[in-house]
Amino acid sequence: MPPKRAAATKRKAVSPPDDDPTPSESEQQSPSEHEESDKPVAKKRKTGSSAKGKAAPKAAESTKGKGKGTSSAAAAAAKAEAGRQPTNKVLPVHIAFAPKAAEGTVRIAAWNICGLAAAQKKGFKYYVEAEDPDVLILTETKVNNDPVDPALTQRFPYRYWSISDKKTYSGTAILSKVEPISVDYTLPGHPDPKSVKGRIVTLEFASCYLVGTYVVNAGTGLKTLDEKKVWNAHFEAYIRELDKKKPVIWAGDLNVAPTEIDLANPKTNWNKTPGYTEAETSSFARILNTSGKEADAGKFVDVWRDKHPGLRHYTYFSYRFNCREKGLGWRLDMFVVSERMAARVQMCEIRSEIYGASDHCPVVLELEGPL
């Protein structure tokens, strides 16, 4: 028998407003740049010159599906069609997910909600009810005080909100059914602690650290790329120090598309658009340390990409330019875990149909055993 599905949640569909009076930070910075880059670009004549800097990072090539002929082409087309993400612009009326894979499994969800107040008006609670995660990481909350939403307070007894000093700006939270050993809201060594507020929450559990981040955006025209570099330098050191003590789960809106298959238009965005520059992708690659070049540093795994090596699915689609329908997106939200912890991961998926309450889709991970 197929496994029973979780209780469904039904509701009326609510469309996002055409003109959001309080656009998110990502709408003002990174996605606004993404939106511009997703517009049709006029072709230019080749001049023989090339862009400065290193080439864009490429994903590992697959050795499958290289057969010739009409049948292989048809199979490839069918596979591509099957791999397409939904194009809905509002949350589904009916939301249901399969139950956890096994008893004792921990389900963790991460979601950039583009403002809690706005998301609550567009069906936020229906997703939370259907997913029913053990831990919920929220980014870009834009709250000014600890919320008292019953949908959250009754479900999660342990709630930790990192709130920016700047009103209705950034914001990161981890809400948990499991009590942590300790909580930290800082990024050690960062020269501007105020800028870190609203960006990071670290919970220590018996078996691991859980780090939720809303990583700094490189800004329109890359005007804050230097600030991003400072963040990255200190975060690289921080996550490695944590990893020396216990395995680490790092999740949230990481504000980077790691390789060329993690965004729809890599060529037109490389070294021009926040989230896809040499500085940002190199920092992420150093954390993964797949090649082992970073001496005395552990290795990490980009979990969703590890489980879906060739799939071009995204977690962010701008509300503008009909990007959702066109499939013009970026994979910015993810789970990264210490390599020695990767075997405990039972599942990692993008909830592609959960779109409309935010311009981001949630990502969910299931972990074998307790936190």
Side-chain angles (χ1 to χ4, degrees):
M1 289 179 65
K4 293 182 180 179
R5 297 184 68 83
T9 299
K10 296 183 178 181
R11 60 177 194 84
K12 292 183 179 180
V14 180
S15 300
D18 293 333
D19 297 302
D20 189 343
T22 55
S24 68
E25 175 194 347
S26 57
E27 189 76 2
Q28 295 166 339
Q29 296 181 359
S30 180
S32 66
E33 291 291 314
H34 302 173
E35 291 153 9
E36 292 174 8
S37 61
D38 287 335
K39 294 179 182 178
V41 179
K43 293 183 178 180
K44 297 181 180 180
R45 292 183 180 179
K46 296 181 179 179
T47 60
S49 60
S50 59
K52 294 181 180 180
K54 296 181 180 179
K58 295 185 178 181
E61 291 185 3
S62 173
T63 57
K64 298 179 181 180
K66 291 190 177 182
K68 297 180 180 180
T70 306
S71 60
S72 62
K79 185 177 180 180
E81 179 67 28
R84 288 181 181 173
Q85 286 182 277
T87 58
N88 58 298
K89 296 181 181 179
V90 297
L91 288 189
V93 172
H94 179 90
I95 302 175
F97 303 111
K100 288 190 285 189
E103 188 72 25
T105 301
V106 175
R107 179 173 289 186
I108 307 172
W111 193 13
N112 177 321
I113 52 174
C114 198
L116 179 60
Q120 286 171 325
K121 298 174 183 177
K122 304 174 190 176
F124 167 80
K125 74 172 184 178
Y126 300 107
Y127 164 72
V128 176
E129 289 172 357
E131 189 73 80
D132 191 24
D134 298 291
V135 180
L136 177 61
I137 300 168
L138 300 176
T139 56
E140 201 171 359
T141 60
K142 302 204 299 185
V143 300
N144 299 321
N145 301 287
D146 289 9
V148 291
D149 182 352
L152 300 177
T153 58
Q154 294 175 10
R155 190 175 296 271
F156 303 105
Y158 308 102
R159 302 177 300 278
Y160 307 96
W161 300 84
S162 179
I163 300 173
S164 173
D165 283 345
K166 185 177 179 180
K167 287 193 173 184
T168 61
Y169 182 78
S170 68
T172 301
I174 302 183
L175 315 177
S176 177
K177 296 179 181 179
V178 183
E179 184 177 10
I181 296 170
S182 65
V183 185
D184 193 354
Y185 300 94
T186 67
L187 180 55
H190 195 287
D192 184 7
K194 283 189 175 182
S195 71
V196 172
K197 286 186 176 182
R199 296 287 180 185
I200 184 169
V201 179
T202 301
L203 302 187
E204 179 187 3
F205 294 97
S207 73
C208 65
Y209 288 99
L210 176 61
V211 184
T213 60
Y214 179 38
V215 173
V216 175
N217 191 289
T220 303
L222 304 180
K223 64 182 179 182
T224 55
L225 182 57
D226 287 342
E227 286 87 336
K228 178 77 171 279
K229 290 178 180 178
V230 172
W231 168 280
N232 284 345
H234 289 284
F235 188 81
E236 286 177 39
Y238 178 56
I239 197 169
R240 288 171 184 159
E241 285 302 310
L242 292 179
D243 184 57
K244 291 176 182 178
K245 303 172 187 176
K246 293 180 181 181
V248 178
I249 302 171
W250 173 31
D253 183 345
L254 309 192
N255 254 325
V256 62
T259 71
E260 64 181 0
I261 65 171
D262 294 309
L263 69 163
N265 292 323
K267 290 183 179 179
T268 55
N269 285 291
W270 178 239
N271 277 332
K272 299 175 183 177
T273 307
Y276 195 54
T277 64
E278 182 182 336
E280 294 166 290
T281 58
S282 295
S283 175
F284 187 81
R286 284 193 296 271
I287 289 175
L288 296 188
N289 196 24
T290 305
S291 64
K293 288 183 179 179
E294 300 300 315
D296 301 320
K299 294 183 179 181
F300 287 82
V301 176
D302 176 354
V303 182
W304 187 89
R305 177 54 67 209
D306 182 64
K307 292 186 175 297
H308 308 85
L311 202 55
R312 299 189 75 133
H313 279 193
Y314 311 120
T315 63
Y316 164 78
F317 301 87
S318 170
Y319 286 142
R320 302 178 183 178
F321 308 121
N322 213 16
C323 288
R324 174 71 166 175
E325 185 173 338
K326 296 175 183 176
L328 301 177
W330 294 60
R331 189 173 72 93
L332 302 174
D333 309 84
M334 57 198 86
F335 281 89
V336 174
V337 304
S338 298
E339 184 182 53
R340 64 190 185 279
M341 195 180 203
R344 291 180 58 190
V345 176
Q346 302 298 297
M347 173 272 276
C348 186
E349 297 295 342
I350 297 170
R351 297 300 196 198
S352 295
E353 69 275 29
I354 304 302
Y355 183 85
S358 166
D359 50 9
H360 289 247
C361 300
V363 184
V364 63
L365 172 145
E366 286 187 2
L367 192 72
E368 183 181 31
L371 287 171

